[in-house]
Amino acid sequence: MLKIKKILMLMVLVPIAAFFFAGNCFAQEEEIAAGPATIILDSIAEYYEPVNFDHASHIEFAENDCAKCHHHTIGTPSTGTGNCNLCHKYEASTKIVACRGCHLSDPYSEEGKKIRKERGEVYHKDKPSLKGAYHQFCISCHEEVDGPYTCDGCHPRTEKGDKFFYSGQYAPKPSDNAGGHH
Amino acid sequence: MKKMNRRSLLKGGLAGGVIGALGLGKKAEAAGTFEGYPDRMGVLVDLTRCIGCRSCEAACNKEQKLPAPDKPFDDFSVFDEIHLGQKRRPTEKAYTIVNRYDVEGQDKPVYRKIQCNHCNEPACLSSCFVNAYTKTPEGAVMYDPKVCVGCRTCMIACPFYVPAYSYSSVLNPVVKKCIMCYDTRLKFGRRPACAEACPRETLTFGKREDLIYYARQRIKLNPGKYVNHIYGEKEVGGTSWLYLSGVPFEEVGFDTHLGNQPILNYVKEFLTIVPMVLTIWPALFAGFHLLATRKENKNKESESQK
């Protein structure tokens, strides 16, 4: 009886594991070739909708020079953004491609603090978070090339965001201004 | 077993005495040169990163449960507001505000966030005669409205003009200012709400000591990007909030003539005289007066006896 159960379990688990494994491999291979076509940036979406990042067209904008955004390179010579290469040029860590591989989505969470402690060294401590990295990097470039650089240009605000900013339907009514300014 | 003789006992006693004296000496010295709590936190503000999105203002409003603003936080016309010839300043309704500066030679405007700088030796604290202010070991300068008598001396003492007054409250007006989210966040090791909301990480939270190191690294690794100065490292004895800028600080509204002395130092000598004047002088001069008039009194007395 037990044996049958075990076999049944295996029959269910093995295909699932195989599916995930294959999926991962496939995704990785594809990423190395050209990167995913779109990436959904939603790790902390709260006041704004997630960003549907059109990776494919950004490859075109960057004229296939991946290093314009990915500091250490995927085949193309580095244009020198970021300081990672100063120490890690010949190390396995330069093989990390995704932004989230190095830039933490929440460096101040317990987990984030642990990772930062493990990494040590001042350069790692002062590295921007995932959110910081996107906003510093994307906006700087968008301003230069006239891409969208206002908040709603990349991610529309949610209703929660409207409430946070006292905007839209939550905008202060003119009568509220009676108190004046001090 | 070693025998204890008179000489070794004396030697030991002498050494112990010397160590004791040294220890005392060190303690006394430390009290005079206290350089602030070692693990105090702070925020490094990198002006080159700020884009004036006002998310920090919205976050502060939410965290501190402040009243609704006059204008939405995504209304950028506030940058053009001038009140009594000045750009915006923190108020009872907004503990932090962002101002825009158009600096000559810069193709983009520069934004500057203003809030309490949480001084190492706060002038507001030393000016307060009811001790409503405290500097916590975490670095925040706290204010206790329960003991405040509303004299507003702190508002005049503050070199950055930060404390605001709730003039709108008729019955219980109190001083209002940024407390670095001490109650809700800093106390638990979390960064202030504004720092968390900032999309570009203009605000970096950390140990003040580390922040100064990061700031130096940023200046060093980005030649030409920054002015070689960390505002707040030394100004008025140092502040918990530190600033990096790509343009001279005076061009974005910073007071660069405050000096590096804590404000307290300018009045310390005078203030130490006050208790002496108030207690010793009356007794002393009353004594002089009595002595001087003693003879006269005696004469009067002897005259009346005649």
Side-chain angles (χ1 to χ4, degrees):
Chain A
M1 195 62 192
L2 258 172
K3 242 184 187 170
I4 297 169
K5 249 192 183 172
K6 249 188 187 172
I7 291 166
L8 268 174
M9 281 267 275
L10 275 175
M11 275 171 76
V12 176
L13 285 176
V14 167
I16 292 175
F19 175 76
F20 272 103
F21 187 69
N24 260 346
C25 280
F26 181 67
Q28 247 174 21
E29 254 170 46
E30 193 191 44
E31 266 181 40
I32 288 163
T38 45
I39 304 171
I40 297 167
L41 313 176
D42 62 349
S43 64
I44 48 164
E46 188 185 0
Y47 299 131
Y48 295 93
E49 304 281 355
V51 178
N52 287 318
F53 177 66
D54 187 351
H55 190 249
S57 36
H58 280 84
I59 296 175
E60 270 175 47
F61 299 148
E63 291 157 349
N64 288 322
D65 183 3
C66 309
K68 267 191 180 155
C69 302
H70 298 272
H71 316 299
H72 41 72
T73 69
I74 322 156
T76 48
S78 173
T79 41
T81 53
N83 305 313
C84 329
N85 267 348
L86 293 177
C87 303
H88 299 297
K89 201 170 180 180
Y90 303 106
E91 284 173 33
S93 46
T94 52
K95 297 278 185 294
I96 300 172
V97 176
C99 310
R100 63 176 186 279
C102 295
H103 296 282
L104 302 171
S105 63
D106 188 1
Y108 292 90
S109 66
E110 283 311 312
E111 201 198 336
K113 273 183 196 163
K114 213 181 111 196
I115 297 173
R116 284 204 296 167
K117 208 175 174 189
E118 277 165 16
R119 286 179 180 168
E121 296 305 319
V122 67
Y123 296 108
H124 295 148
K125 281 191 204 160
D126 191 25
K127 193 162 54 191
S129 68
L130 196 55
K131 179 171 81 164
Y134 285 143
H135 287 96
Q136 281 175 35
F137 212 76
C138 301
I139 295 173
S140 307
C141 192
H142 279 199
E143 278 179 335
E144 274 175 39
V145 300
D146 222 18
Y149 55 83
T150 56
C151 307
D152 336 2
C154 294
H155 40 43
R157 203 161 51 209
T158 59
E159 203 201 316
K160 208 175 167 191
D162 278 347
K163 204 172 171 187
F164 181 70
F165 278 93
Y166 284 92
S167 190
Q169 56 167 312
Y170 299 98
K173 290 168 196 82
S175 57
D176 292 350
N177 295 352
H181 212 285
H182 301 285
Chain B
M1 203 179 110
K2 213 180 156 189
K3 236 182 156 183
M4 173 81 101
N5 56 24
R6 220 182 91 197
R7 180 167 291 182
S8 70
L9 182 79
L10 270 174
K11 259 189 191 165
L14 204 66
V18 169
I19 288 164
L22 275 177
L24 264 180
K26 251 186 200 161
K27 218 176 191 179
E29 195 188 6
T33 57
F34 179 63
E35 285 182 355
Y37 298 106
D39 286 339
R40 62 192 186 277
M41 309 302 283
V43 177
L44 174 64
V45 186
D46 191 330
L47 266 58
T48 64
R49 292 183 180 178
C50 185
I51 46 167
C53 71
R54 299 185 66 210
S55 295
C56 51
E57 289 187 41
C60 178
N61 179 287
K62 188 177 176 230
E63 182 75 19
Q64 297 298 329
K65 300 184 177 70
L66 296 171
D70 296 342
K71 287 177 186 172
F73 285 113
D74 58 356
D75 182 344
F76 300 118
S77 69
V78 291
F79 294 138
D80 301 318
E81 281 178 18
I82 297 287
H83 303 283
L84 304 168
Q86 281 184 12
K87 283 183 184 290
R88 297 196 302 154
R89 261 171 44 184
T91 66
E92 57 171 299
K93 285 169 82 177
Y95 298 165
T96 184
I97 52 106
V98 176
N99 279 336
R100 186 189 62 207
Y101 294 85
D102 295 303
V103 181
E104 236 178 88
Q106 294 282 317
D107 45 355
K108 277 187 277 180
V110 181
Y111 297 93
R112 176 204 170 191
K113 180 183 182 295
I114 307 176
Q115 75 300 307
C116 173
N117 283 324
H118 300 274
C119 302
N120 293 344
E121 288 198 46
C124 54
L125 184 150
S126 19
S127 77
C128 181
F129 70 94
V130 290
N131 281 340
Y133 284 93
T134 347
K135 173 85 176 169
T136 73
E138 296 88 345
V141 176
M142 296 290 291
Y143 162 81
D144 181 1
K146 281 183 201 136
V147 288
C148 175
V149 293
C151 75
R152 284 162 282 163
T153 316
C154 52
M155 294 170 69
I156 297 162
C158 176
F160 305 108
Y161 304 102
V162 162
Y165 198 62
S166 53
Y167 288 105
S168 59
S169 167
V170 180
L171 292 174
N172 187 28
V174 286
V175 166
K176 298 265 190 181
K177 75 166 200 73
C178 158
I179 53 165
M180 220 160 144
C181 293
Y182 181 81
D183 291 340
T184 48
R185 289 162 166 269
L186 188 66
K187 201 161 66 175
F188 309 109
R190 292 172 60 213
R191 56 187 164 161
C194 53
E196 192 176 313
C198 180
R200 291 199 96 197
E201 246 168 60
T202 302
L203 312 170
T204 311
F205 172 71
K207 265 189 200 174
R208 186 176 184 270
E209 214 177 309
D210 292 342
L211 294 177
I212 291 172
Y213 192 74
Y214 300 166
R216 292 235 180 288
Q217 288 290 347
R218 285 189 202 171
I219 294 172
K220 204 164 126 189
L221 291 169
N222 302 283
K225 189 179 177 186
Y226 297 104
V227 171
N228 188 13
H229 183 71
I230 307 168
Y231 192 95
E233 186 190 4
K234 296 205 174 98
E235 276 76 9
V236 293
T239 57
S240 271
W241 280 63
L242 306 158
Y243 301 84
L244 277 180
S245 170
V247 296
F249 281 99
E250 57 269 22
E251 287 182 36
V252 282
F254 283 87
D255 189 343
T256 48
H257 300 286
L258 290 173
N260 294 341
Q261 293 281 327
I263 301 294
L264 174 68
N265 284 12
Y266 297 111
V267 290
K268 214 189 240 165
E269 283 177 13
F270 167 73
L271 286 177
T272 48
I273 299 170
V274 174
M276 196 185 80
V277 171
L278 289 182
T279 55
I280 301 174
W281 278 22
L284 193 69
F285 289 116
F288 281 154
H289 175 74
L290 289 176
L291 278 174
T293 54
R294 195 169 134 242
K295 217 176 178 181
E296 214 175 300
N297 283 346
K298 243 187 183 171
N299 286 345
K300 268 185 195 166
E301 265 174 40
S302 55
E303 258 174 43
S304 63
Q305 271 174 5
K306 271 179 191 172

